[in-house]
Structures are given as C-alpha cells and as structure tokens.
Amino acid sequence: MVQVKPDFGPGEIRSYLKVSGWSPVSGSELAELWRFRDCEDKVVLVPMKPGAPDFAKRTNILLSDVSRLESRDVRTVHDAIATVYHDVTDLRASHPSLSDGSIPLEAGYELFMSAKRLRVASAAASIRRQGHFRNFPLRAKDQAREVRLGQTRRGSYIVPIISQARSPEDVYVPQQEHIDIEIEETLFDRRVTATMSRALGVLEQMASSERRPTGSEIADSVGEGVSYELCRALSKVVNAESVAALDITFNWSRVASPPPGSSNRVEFNRDAIEIVDEVSNRLKSQLYTHEHVLYGVITDLSRRPDEATGRVGIETLIKRRRRTVWFDLADEPYHLAVRCHDTGTPVRAQGVLASPPGGIATMEVSHFGPDRSLGTDA
C-alpha cells in the first residue's frame, strides 16, 4: 500500500466524502463510518483524532479504500481531499520543444512571475474596476502573498496556484447583523479567482473574434476585470522564448459552486497575444472611469410606502476596516436587497464610492446584486 503523509484533518475528509456521494452511518469522537450511497459493501472508516498516534495509519487505509473505489491513485485522492476547500488554477506553458517536461530558465521565470502578476492584477480589479492601475492597492499586493504554489507537474510545464475558496462554515445567517472580518478575508481569495476567470474569458473572446475589438468593447471589458496589467502579465509569458501558448484551467473547489459565467479554461497563443497587446495599449493610453467594488452583507433597510427608492446600508471592509456604506436603490433592486438581507446572502455593489475619513461613506451604485463569485443566489 502506498503511504503518504496526510496534511489535512477530519474536516477536509468529511467534506470530500460528502460531496462525493458518501454519508455518515455511525460514529463517535474517535471515528466515523461512512457509506457510499446505498452500497452496503462500500464503507470506510474516518479517523476523527488528528493528534492520535495512529491517525496517519488510519488515514492511509482510508485513502487506499477510496482510491480503489474511485479507480484513482492514492496521491490523486490525497490531493483532492487536501484541496477540497481550495480553488486550484493551473498555468500550463506549452511548446513542441517541452516534450521532456523541462522548460528554459527564462521562460520558467516569466511563467512564475506571471502567476504573481495575474493574481495582483485580478485582486486589484476585485477592489476597483480600472483600465490602468499604475499603483496597485496594498490589499491586492498582500493577496498575492497569501496564495500558494503547488508542485510543478511534468508533461507540458504546469504551475498550480492554490487559493482559498471557502469552508462550509464560511456562510452567513439570515438577517446577519455584522460581517465577520476573518470570513471576509477568506472569501476575498475566491472573489479574486472569479475576477481572474471572467477577465481572461473576456480577453479570450476578443482575441478569438474575426474582427478587432472596438473601443466600446474594450471599455466594457474593464467592468469584467480586464486591465493593462493583466494583459501585460499574459503577454510576457507567451512572448517568452520556447513558449508558444499558455492555457489556464480553473479547478473550482467542490464545496463552493463555480461562479456563474466564469470560464473553466482559457488559452492564449502568439496570434491571440497580438490582440491582447492591442487591448493593453488602448487601456494604457486612454482614461477609463474607475469604480469601486464592495462586498458584504445588508445590515440596514429603510423605505417609506410613498418613496420610489429605498435606502440601503451594506457593512463591508474598506482598507480592512469594517464600515457601513449607504446608497439608494430603485424598486426592483431594493426588493432584491431585502431578500439578500432575509437570507443572509452576501452582496456585491459596484459604483463611485465616497468615504471621507470620519464621515459617512456613500456610493453611487451602477451594479448591485448577490455576490455570485461565492456560488450564492437570492
């Protein structure tokens, strides 16, 4: 039996089994028995004490049983359990000369650097929609330090970026009174990955079109998270020597639904990069109005029967501090805000923010709705 050192606990094991069709049938503080659907002979034992001397031994028996039942090797099952609360983004550089699984040093350097550049640009766009940042928000730079790189993989050269999705506990209750700062920090990782996926999907669509993108289309792409810096990150790695194409695959955590409208895989070759460079130059040379993006929960609602609009207060994080931002919504979006409040659904508001120090923060909202990057709805 293949032996691996498990780097996860009972929580990850139970979540993985739950989303894979297993359910608990009995248990105690020491161990639980789980059965696969209604199959009487497909039962595994889950050790529940990570500090116990035999935890690794029992976990290896579990991995062996699950790998046999799923017809997958033990290492693959181990990695799937270890990353059940994470999104894994694979950056794969390909070229006919990469058949031996190695990559030229300079191309490898650009691939690793582009992994960081893509995350920082996407994190910045998750905070503000802006065509050209020049100076990234500090929170965007910090986010790139928090994600992890997995082991590189042979074949074509693959670099996995591992980021938080959420655990089953990272949810809000109906009529939530305050946001949880720790949960919001965790959810930001998923929001950044969702922004990266949508932005790269829009870029791929423009690059694969039979005509050049119009100025209006490029301006609209900023609203999806495209920026000069994101385009440059792609261009640098694809234009590196010995790299003919870059494809990016998003492997979404199984405990959080994939964001609606997100792309699971995008690809850019040298021809596509010509269009990306054109978009990049337009974003750098032309001024596009930037808008802030807020995430949080609805904590205040106010509207009189004869009023056309309702007043909404959303509690959110601004520079990692909890603040309430006020804005007005028309009839339909106001009722949507009421439903989000009643169900505890996190929301997303985009628009022009005014947050004077010590004063009341307000926003002129252009887009409002549930935060779909988390796989939630209202």
Side-chain angles (χ1 to χ4, degrees), residues 300-301 311-314 324-328 360-364:
D300 296 88
L301 293 158
R311 192 72 166 164
V312 174
I314 172 178
T324 298
V325 178
W326 297 89
F327 49 85
D328 294 322
I360 297 175
T362 59
M363 172 176 268
E364 186 177 338

Side-chain angles (χ1 to χ4, degrees), residues 35-81:
R35 177 182 295 136
F36 184 71
R37 296 196 171 93
D38 295 325
C39 302
E40 294 293 334
D41 59 337
K42 294 184 178 179
V43 177
V44 294
L45 184 143
V46 177
M48 298 297 292
K49 290 288 187 182
D54 64 342
F55 180 79
K57 176 183 176 181
R58 300 297 176 192
T59 300
N60 271 286
I61 294 173
L62 167 77
L63 290 172
S64 178
D65 290 344
V66 174
S67 69
R68 185 179 68 258
L69 295 171
E70 294 185 351
S71 299
R72 300 198 295 173
D73 62 77
V74 170
R75 173 54 66 180
T76 300
V77 174
H78 170 276
D79 292 347
I81 296 175

Side-chain angles (χ1 to χ4, degrees), residues 232-258:
R232 293 300 298 161
L234 284 176
S235 181
K236 279 183 174 293
V237 65
V238 178
N239 284 330
E241 188 178 357
S242 300
V243 175
L246 174 72
D247 71 65
I248 302 172
T249 305
F250 296 91
N251 305 289
W252 303 103
S253 166
R254 296 178 64 182
V255 299
S257 303

Side-chain angles (χ1 to χ4, degrees), residues 95-376:
H95 189 279
S97 66
L98 300 183
S99 58
D100 64 351
S102 65
I103 190 170
L105 183 61
E106 183 176 349
Y109 170 80
E110 289 297 346
L111 184 61
F112 278 87
M113 289 304 296
S114 287
K116 179 181 178 182
R117 293 173 184 137
L118 286 170
R119 287 301 297 193
V120 174
S122 299
S126 298
I127 299 169
R128 289 200 309 263
R129 294 300 202 246
Q130 195 165 330
H132 182 196
F133 282 91
R134 295 183 178 87
N135 294 305
F136 286 119
L138 183 59
R139 179 72 183 91
K141 296 178 182 177
D142 288 345
Q143 200 277 334
R145 299 188 185 101
E146 293 163 5
V147 298
R148 295 183 293 151
L149 282 178
Q151 295 288 342
T152 56
R153 300 169 191 158
R154 291 178 64 84
S156 295
Y157 203 81
I158 302 173
V159 173
I161 306 172
I162 302 172
S163 57
Q164 293 271 352
R166 75 178 200 193
S167 73
E169 291 75 26
D170 292 340
V171 293
Y172 286 127
V173 299
Q175 302 183 27
Q176 182 84 21
E177 293 185 356
H178 298 286
I179 59 172
D180 185 306
I181 293 178
E182 186 174 340
I183 288 178
E184 285 300 310
E185 292 287 354
T186 299
L187 298 183
F188 186 67
D189 277 14
R190 160 52 78 99
R191 288 159 176 154
V192 172
T193 308
T195 299
M196 183 192 297
S197 170
R198 283 196 295 270
L200 293 177
V202 169
L203 267 179
E204 185 187 51
Q205 288 176 9
M206 288 194 287
S208 61
S209 175
E210 295 180 352
R211 57 175 178 76
R212 298 283 181 180
T214 65
S216 175
E217 290 171 333
I218 293 175
D220 289 345
S221 74
V222 175
E224 298 295 336
V226 175
S227 66
Y228 164 78
E229 289 78 8
L230 185 86
C231 295
R232 293 300 298 161
L234 284 176
S235 181
K236 279 183 174 293
V237 65
V238 178
N239 284 330
E241 188 178 357
S242 300
V243 175
L246 174 72
D247 71 65
I248 302 172
T249 305
F250 296 91
N251 305 289
W252 303 103
S253 166
R254 296 178 64 182
V255 299
S257 303
S262 59
S263 300
N264 291 326
R265 182 179 181 275
V266 293
E267 181 174 356
F268 298 89
N269 54 27
R270 293 285 174 84
D271 292 338
I273 288 301
E274 286 187 21
I275 300 298
V276 172
D277 285 341
E278 181 177 329
V279 173
S280 170
N281 293 332
R282 295 279 289 274
L283 291 174
K284 185 179 182 182
S285 61
Q286 297 187 19
L287 178 64
Y288 291 101
T289 302
H290 72 258
E291 293 186 325
H292 281 79
V293 186
L294 303 179
Y295 309 92
V297 295
I298 300 293
T299 53
D300 296 88
L301 293 158
S302 176
R303 184 187 184 190
R304 295 181 182 279
D306 58 342
E307 291 179 333
T309 62
R311 192 72 166 164
V312 174
I314 172 178
E315 192 167 88
T316 185
L317 291 183
I318 298 179
K319 297 182 178 179
R320 293 187 163 174
R321 292 186 177 182
R322 187 187 285 136
R323 290 198 67 176
T324 298
V325 178
W326 297 89
F327 49 85
D328 294 322
L329 292 177
D331 185 71
E332 185 174 340
Y334 180 79
H335 281 97
L336 178 58
V338 172
R339 291 200 297 274
C340 290
H341 174 259
D342 290 347
T343 58
T345 302
V347 298
R348 174 185 180 278
Q350 182 174 330
V352 179
L353 174 68
S355 57
I360 297 175
T362 59
M363 172 176 268
E364 186 177 338
V365 173
S366 60
H367 299 87
F368 170 81
D371 181 5
R372 299 187 187 280
S373 63
L374 307 180
T376 55

